[in-house]
Amino acid sequence: MAKQITEKVSWVGKIDWELTTFHGDELSTHKGSSYNSYLIRDKKVALIDTVWKPYDQEFVQRLKQEIDLSKIDYIIMQHNEIDHSGALPELMKEIPNTPIYCTKKGEAIIRGHYHQDWNFVNVKTGDTLELGESTLTFVEMTMLHWPDSMLTYMSGENIVFSNDAFGQHYASESLFNDAVNQSEMMWEAQKYYTNILNLYSSMITKKVQQILAMNLPINMICPSHGVIWRENPMQIVEQYLKWANAYQEDQITIAYDTMWQSTRKMAEAIAEGIRNISPQTTVKLFNVAHQDKNDVLTEIFQSKAVIIGSPTINYGFSFAIAGLLEMIKGLRFKNKKAAAFGSYGWSGDAVKQINAHLTESGFELINEGITKLWVPNQEDLSDCTAFGESIAKSF
Ligand code: FEO
């Protein structure tokens, strides 16, 4: 059901309480998500974005209850990954000649996905569309996070429609940021940033500064996923500037895998060493074979160091650690230290290989790491505790 959010704007999206993973299985969404679409009724009527394909018919039927579809003058497609453009074919069956405003790349992506010759109007940064009392201004957001991404500013009601930027995979019937659990919401916003946007941090800084320099009054930020930033909307912009600037807290994350508990024992002894020297530092341990990978990545994003442990398997590291290292490399964390550890039976190569991956991924290695043969005895565990103490002293 549509929800009016200002005098001229209604939310006409879909709240997806069932969603548990996104981008295939790449991203866990423990709190569901939403696909936010917005209907602006001024002298002219504009629809901003649609919803994910599985909800296309539901979306169009509900939109029909809200407005005679022939009265929609413009469709604004800010980004055309299928979670936003998926309902476009169903909608265009009803209003095939309605112009679709999007970036040039957006047109290419829509054509590549749906193979239809719709009425496209390409827009670029600074282009405007008069709706009557309000004007839409488009700002390209290239690679934030796709080549076609853009945002739309609506004058009069002073709303930024930000598409994926400032979103969260967070289902809520409440719709607004001031009406939900704050820590849940911010965790989901940070997890979203870590797993989707961190790679583009330097571009985010430049783009946010460019938008701030425009000195636009902003009453509300309406993303395409999760809650609308109504109360103090600039808080998420300020948070993005912090997150984009080599973010870290006083936290050290120990992420490990273990076959017969030896590497786990080493992890716990290392944690004890860190706590001995730096009791104020938050130390968290995750067995990555059993924990949610995207949650662990978010913990690493928060950390000033990550300590990665794996037993040596097949002269290398474990399957779970391989996945984590690949994700770490892709997300390009900055300003973080790292170290490696692990038990072994005969070669002990895992630590050397983890070190190589961490270095390649831009982490500053604190030391050469620590290995222990078979099951660590008390002396071995004391060495691991001393190893943890040396890590804590490196800050
Ligand atoms: Fe929410 Fe990039 O799609």
Side-chain angles (χ1 to χ4, degrees), residues 22-23 34-35 79-84 145-146 149 163-164 169 192 196 224-225:
F22 194 76
H23 287 155
S34 65
Y35 319 106
H79 164 45
N80 295 284
E81 200 166 1
I82 60 164
D83 51 325
H84 307 298
H145 70 124
W146 267 32
S149 299
N163 194 260
D164 279 342
H169 285 305
Y192 184 102
I196 298 175
S224 59
H225 298 290

Side-chain angles (χ1 to χ4, degrees), residues 111-132:
R111 285 183 184 276
H113 277 62
Y114 306 111
H115 313 289
Q116 297 291 325
D117 193 24
W118 290 318
N119 177 13
F120 295 100
V121 180
N122 289 167
V123 294
K124 54 188 185 316
T125 297
D127 286 353
T128 57
L129 180 61
E130 299 295 333
L131 298 183

Side-chain angles (χ1 to χ4, degrees), residues 12-22 32-37 50-63 82-91:
V12 290
K14 172 67 187 174
I15 300 169
D16 189 349
W17 287 95
E18 283 194 358
L19 192 77
T20 54
T21 61
F22 194 76
S33 192
S34 65
Y35 319 106
N36 298 335
S37 171
T50 71
V51 302
W52 189 29
K53 166 82 178 147
Y55 300 108
D56 58 354
Q57 292 184 7
E58 179 180 332
F59 171 73
V60 171
Q61 289 310 315
R62 286 184 172 180
L63 198 57
I82 60 164
D83 51 325
H84 307 298
S85 66
L88 199 51
E90 197 66 21
L91 180 62

Side-chain angles (χ1 to χ4, degrees), residues 99-331:
I100 298 172
Y101 284 66
C102 59
T103 60
K104 197 173 171 193
K105 284 281 186 194
E107 177 182 341
I109 290 171
I110 295 173
R111 285 183 184 276
H113 277 62
Y114 306 111
H115 313 289
Q116 297 291 325
D117 193 24
W118 290 318
N119 177 13
F120 295 100
V121 180
N122 289 167
V123 294
K124 54 188 185 316
T125 297
D127 286 353
T128 57
L129 180 61
E130 299 295 333
L131 298 183
E133 292 176 0
S134 55
T135 302
L136 300 183
T137 302
F138 305 109
V139 178
E140 289 167 277
M141 301 281 280
T142 311
M143 291 317 296
L144 298 175
H145 70 124
W146 267 32
D148 64 329
S149 299
M150 69 173 186
L151 64 73
T152 305
Y153 177 75
M154 177 187 177
S155 67
E157 294 192 342
N158 303 336
I159 296 175
V160 173
F161 297 97
S162 61
N163 194 260
D164 279 342
F166 311 124
Q168 334 89 48
H169 285 305
Y170 184 40
S172 165
E173 295 294 326
S174 304
L175 210 61
F176 293 104
N177 69 316
D178 48 295
V180 297
N181 180 294
Q182 298 298 291
S183 59
E184 250 184 20
M185 174 189 71
M186 286 312 288
W187 166 262
E188 293 301 333
Q190 191 178 56
K191 178 174 174 179
Y192 184 102
Y193 184 92
T194 302
N195 288 277
I196 298 175
L197 294 170
N198 185 69
L199 170 62
Y200 309 109
S201 286
S202 59
M203 284 187 261
I204 285 171
T205 304
K206 280 189 203 140
K207 186 53 74 173
V208 169
Q209 285 169 346
Q210 181 195 341
I211 293 165
L212 291 177
M214 294 163 87
N215 275 324
L216 300 167
I218 295 174
N219 295 347
M220 202 178 277
I221 296 176
C222 294
S224 59
H225 298 290
V227 293
I228 292 166
W229 301 91
R230 171 174 70 177
E231 186 179 271
N232 184 15
M234 296 311 284
Q235 68 175 292
I236 190 62
V237 178
E238 286 155 19
Q239 205 61 60
Y240 265 45
L241 285 173
K242 279 188 206 162
W243 290 340
N245 187 23
Y247 186 74
Q248 61 168 240
E249 297 174 16
D250 188 6
Q251 176 173 329
I252 296 176
T253 295
I254 302 176
Y256 65 93
D257 194 1
T258 191
M259 289 174 72
W260 297 110
Q261 307 299 317
S262 295
T263 302
R264 175 184 61 75
K265 287 175 184 164
M266 294 177 72
E268 291 176 1
I270 292 167
E272 185 182 331
I274 296 168
R275 284 197 304 272
N276 287 346
I277 301 299
S278 186
Q280 76 284 359
T281 298
T282 301
V283 181
K284 294 190 181 179
L285 289 81
F286 299 98
N287 180 329
V288 296
H290 301 301
Q291 301 280 348
D292 181 277
K293 61 187 183 306
N294 303 105
D295 289 346
V296 174
L297 287 164
T298 309
E299 297 285 354
I300 292 171
F301 174 71
Q302 291 180 353
S303 300
K304 61 184 181 181
V306 57
I307 318 299
I308 297 199
S310 174
T312 296
I313 301 170
N314 301 332
Y315 299 100
F317 40 73
S318 78
F319 195 86
I321 292 298
L324 184 73
L325 289 171
E326 186 59 28
M327 291 297 283
I328 283 175
K329 185 167 85 177
L331 293 173

Side-chain angles (χ1 to χ4, degrees), residues 317-370:
F317 40 73
S318 78
F319 195 86
I321 292 298
L324 184 73
L325 289 171
E326 186 59 28
M327 291 297 283
I328 283 175
K329 185 167 85 177
L331 293 173
R332 298 193 197 158
F333 295 120
K334 290 200 166 54
N335 192 29
K336 298 192 191 300
K337 294 187 178 185
F341 65 99
S343 69
Y344 68 102
W346 44 98
S347 86
D349 286 348
V351 164
K352 272 184 263 173
Q353 292 188 18
I354 293 170
N355 282 345
H357 277 260
L358 289 169
T359 303
E360 189 191 349
S361 304
F363 288 78
E364 179 193 337
L365 281 187
I366 298 168
N367 51 42
E368 292 183 349
I370 186 168

